[in-house]
Amino acid sequence: MGQAQRPDRRTVLGAAVLGAGAAALGPAAAAATADGGRGRGAGRGRTALPVPAVIAHRGASGYRPEHTLGAYQLALDMGADVIEQDLVPTRDGHLVCRHENDITGTTDVADHPEFADRKATKTVDGTEITGWFTEDFTLAELKTLRATERIPGTRPDNTLYDGRWTVPSFEEVLRWAEREGRRRGRPVWLHVETKHPSHFRALGLGLEERLAKLLRRYGRDRANSPTFLQSFEPTSMERMSRLVRTPRVVLLWTADSRPWDFEQAGDPRTVADLVTPEGLEWISGFAQGVGPVLDLVVPRRADGRLGEPTTLVRDAHARGLLLHPYTMRNENRFLPADFRRGTDPDAYGDAFGALRAYFETGIDGIFADQPDTALLAAEDFRRN
């Protein structure tokens, strides 16, 4: 999509259920969107998503093992505006939902003696990792495993659900979203990340073409689709822009970091370069948004307390880019120091206060592990 054709951020937020997207779900969905989404909290103009929108980070991962249908369903039932998936490939070319291709800590693979010989040491984006990897399993083999809680020390209650769900394929999630969309009379929004795309392309398991094929199959390949695509590698979103018109978001890690595709190509730019007006203008040529780590929006001082907001929100909005920063979590250990309460790092702090501080910067949405908390905070913010 050329520069002159790209939709602005408000269009992106609203387009997916205005027209063909809603019509595909029938009269109830069309009626639900005709009022600009006021029934769920009016956003800006004719937006279908409220502003700020709540994106369920890997599902309701604060309450269920991440990237399971259980986590996605709970997030949707809580009212999350968008549900996130991270995609990695299997050996036979299927896309599955895992935060990493290393599944050692998120499945019970170590308890399967038949897969003991699959344990390997690999280098992924410059980091050496020992474990079990999705690209060494067929989808059928992965389906014999069960998902487990990734951080059981922090979220011991989630371990109750260890073993309850399998690793979902992305196609399963797309079918689930279709069913839930019909049942609810409105589309289920997804936020879909390509993980380590350069790494997998080198293995002959390129993600983008496989993802585009599924998006076309399920009607999520258009500029008005209820879907965001995202990646920490800008060139992955450039590639997707040539395959589908689905809105795209470039994820941004710390200012001193460099995207892995830049490392591979010898591109000297860092994230600090990408968040300048010039860098954002470049991103706007092939993407409709950025997903910065929250510290790029409001840095933390040396004592861990929130400092003054940067100009990122203003600069991105000036170039028509929406902002979906990550990740809000309720536990003290993840919160800025001024919003922690008590001495237990795993107890909840003042998540509402932290969310309010982030919303006041003008962001368009936020990734949250506990979407119910973020939804309440967003409702409070829109009322005040």
Side-chain angles (χ1 to χ4, degrees):
M1 201 185 317
Q3 187 87 1
Q5 295 175 295
R6 70 175 189 263
D8 65 22
R9 64 190 183 89
R10 296 187 184 186
T11 302
V12 168
L13 283 170
V17 289
L18 300 174
L25 291 172
T33 59
D35 66 353
R38 287 190 293 272
R40 306 197 62 234
R44 297 171 182 168
R46 297 172 64 204
T47 59
L49 289 177
V51 177
V54 172
I55 305 156
H57 185 235
R58 312 176 197 171
S61 56
Y63 306 112
R64 300 288 188 272
E66 66 188 32
H67 288 312
T68 59
L69 286 175
Y72 298 154
Q73 186 68 54
L74 180 59
L76 192 62
D77 291 344
M78 285 178 166
D81 302 303
V82 190
I83 315 294
E84 186 199 29
Q85 296 78 45
D86 297 325
L87 302 185
V88 293
T90 65
R91 186 173 67 192
D92 50 347
H94 294 277
L95 299 180
V96 295
C97 301
R98 292 287 89 186
H99 177 56
E100 293 291 342
N101 53 325
D102 174 16
I103 56 173
T104 310
T106 61
T107 71
D108 62 356
V109 63
D111 298 330
H112 286 253
E114 68 273 24
F115 297 133
D117 62 349
R118 306 282 178 94
K119 192 173 186 179
T121 298
K122 300 188 178 191
T123 299
V124 181
D125 292 4
T127 300
E128 189 175 273
I129 304 167
T130 298
W132 286 266
F133 299 85
T134 59
E135 64 267 30
D136 296 329
F137 292 78
T138 65
L139 179 60
E141 289 172 334
L142 271 184
K143 281 296 184 180
T144 67
L145 308 180
R146 293 284 166 167
T148 59
E149 172 56 37
R150 182 178 60 88
I151 47 174
T154 298
R155 294 172 176 165
D157 291 350
N158 291 10
T159 63
L160 171 66
Y161 304 98
D162 284 356
R164 189 170 184 88
W165 294 288
T166 62
V167 174
S169 71
F170 184 51
E171 187 159 21
E172 282 182 88
V173 173
L174 290 169
R175 290 197 296 263
W176 165 81
E178 278 195 344
R179 289 194 304 271
E180 288 294 323
R182 287 192 295 268
R183 186 168 73 86
R184 295 164 186 266
R186 56 179 173 81
V188 173
W189 283 69
L190 305 177
H191 218 302
V192 185
E193 181 180 349
T194 58
K195 297 291 295 190
H196 310 299
S198 293
H199 172 77
F200 291 121
R201 197 172 303 119
L203 297 179
L205 291 170
L207 302 175
E208 291 87 358
E209 290 74 13
R210 289 174 168 84
L211 174 55
K213 183 178 180 180
L214 285 171
L215 293 172
R216 288 192 288 267
R217 183 180 300 167
Y218 287 86
R220 289 177 178 260
D221 59 321
R222 299 181 290 272
N224 66 348
S225 297
T227 308
F228 295 101
L229 307 179
Q230 54 177 337
S231 183
F232 281 99
E233 295 189 22
T235 57
S236 180
M237 292 299 94
E238 282 189 296
R239 185 180 291 261
M240 290 304 304
S241 75
R242 296 189 291 270
L243 296 170
V244 294
R245 300 189 68 205
T246 313
R248 298 163 296 280
V249 173
V250 173
L251 299 172
L252 302 168
W253 183 227
T254 56
D256 60 350
S257 67
R258 190 150 61 123
W260 184 248
D261 52 340
F262 285 15
E263 294 265 5
Q264 295 289 89
D267 188 326
R269 288 178 296 172
T270 65
V271 167
D273 297 306
L274 296 182
V275 296
T276 63
E278 295 76 19
L280 293 167
E281 182 65 29
W282 175 74
I283 289 173
S284 73
F286 58 88
Q288 289 70 45
V290 291
V293 66
L294 281 165
D295 288 354
L296 291 175
V297 178
V298 188
R300 300 190 192 193
R301 301 188 180 105
D303 63 359
R305 297 167 66 88
L306 283 188
E308 292 299 314
T310 68
T311 63
L312 178 56
V313 174
R314 182 193 69 195
D315 293 342
H317 283 175
R319 283 147 190 87
L321 295 169
L322 57 83
L323 286 97
H324 287 168
Y326 65 94
T327 301
M328 182 63 200
R329 299 177 171 101
N330 289 1
E331 293 91 351
N332 277 322
R333 68 170 67 243
F334 303 116
L335 291 170
D338 38 339
F339 296 101
R340 296 172 190 160
R341 298 294 179 263
T343 59
D344 182 353
D346 298 321
Y348 283 5
D350 180 14
F352 289 115
L355 283 159
R356 182 170 57 252
Y358 292 127
F359 290 156
E360 285 173 350
T361 67
I363 59 176
D364 299 285
I366 195 166
F367 287 83
D369 280 15
Q370 290 91 1
D372 54 340
T373 303
L375 286 162
L376 287 172
E379 289 173 10
D380 290 344
F381 180 76
R382 288 191 291 267
R383 279 199 299 263
N384 298 326

